[in-house]
Amino acid sequence: MSEKKEPGVWEGFKAFLMRGNVVDLAVAVVIGAAFTNIVNSVVKGVINPLVGAFGTKDLDHYHSCLKSPCEMNAAGEVSKGIPIMWGSVLSAVLSFVITAAVVYFLMVLPMAKYLAKVAARRAAKEGTQEIVELSELEVLKEIRDALLAQRDAGQSGPGQGSGQAGPGQDGPEQGGPGHGER
């Protein structure tokens, strides 16, 4: 008996790297890193100045004091009291929402529209083929129904309505056309 040799570590590693999803994931990470720079530039160069026109650009310094008095030293560290830094939370939430909006409106939405157009073109091409195939199928069904109706009309003559086969016809016990005579 021959023993099957299990693939070595190197072969397994090569197979892992050559899988489609690993390569796709690597490409997505690289593109994502490059796209992060674009999103950050839009947020810093366009969105933050617009937000700053209505208020302040830096929300990190807004806080409420849970235990008074709240004092901070020159480095921005809390020296006395318990501050709740709601400004930094609000800044992170706004940054996330703005980033998600930029990604959606500049990347996802245009790509979805493009893919929908491609799918519509493909469906239009396949639709014409389906219409031709469907019409052929309809014709074949009509021919079948006409042949069945003609056969049933021929069988309903005198003495043949009992399910017995007439001369030259296959009976039900013989399995249909082509099985009666050999």
Side-chain angles (χ1 to χ4, degrees), residues 120-130:
R121 287 182 195 150
R122 187 175 297 139
K125 286 182 181 178
E126 290 175 1
T128 57
Q129 290 176 347
E130 287 179 16

Side-chain angles (χ1 to χ4, degrees), residues 21-159:
N21 55 0
V22 173
V23 174
D24 291 343
L25 182 61
V27 169
V29 168
V30 171
I31 295 296
F35 192 68
T36 299
N37 292 332
I38 295 171
V39 171
N40 287 339
S41 297
V42 170
V43 169
K44 287 179 183 175
V46 177
I47 305 297
N48 282 348
L50 290 175
V51 171
F54 297 107
T56 180
K57 284 191 208 179
D58 191 12
L59 297 173
D60 291 337
H61 299 296
Y62 288 101
H63 65 277
S64 297
C65 205
L66 187 61
K67 185 175 180 184
S68 295
C70 287
E71 295 178 8
M72 294 193 179
N73 58 17
E77 299 172 352
V78 177
S79 60
K80 199 173 188 183
I82 302 174
I84 296 177
M85 305 299 286
W86 59 268
S88 61
V89 173
L90 181 62
S91 176
V93 169
L94 282 175
S95 179
F96 172 76
V97 169
I98 290 168
T99 303
V102 168
V103 167
Y104 179 75
F105 289 112
L106 293 183
M107 191 68 170
V108 174
L109 191 61
M111 185 60 77
K113 287 183 179 181
Y114 170 74
L115 291 176
K117 284 182 182 179
V118 169
R121 287 182 195 150
R122 187 175 297 139
K125 286 182 181 178
E126 290 175 1
T128 57
Q129 290 176 347
E130 287 179 16
I131 290 171
V132 170
E133 290 174 10
L134 184 62
S135 63
E136 290 175 3
L137 184 61
E138 292 291 326
V139 169
L140 290 174
K141 284 182 181 179
E142 289 177 11
I143 292 171
R144 179 200 62 198
D145 293 342
L147 289 173
L148 288 174
Q150 186 179 16
R151 187 181 76 182
D152 290 342
Q155 286 182 355
S156 63

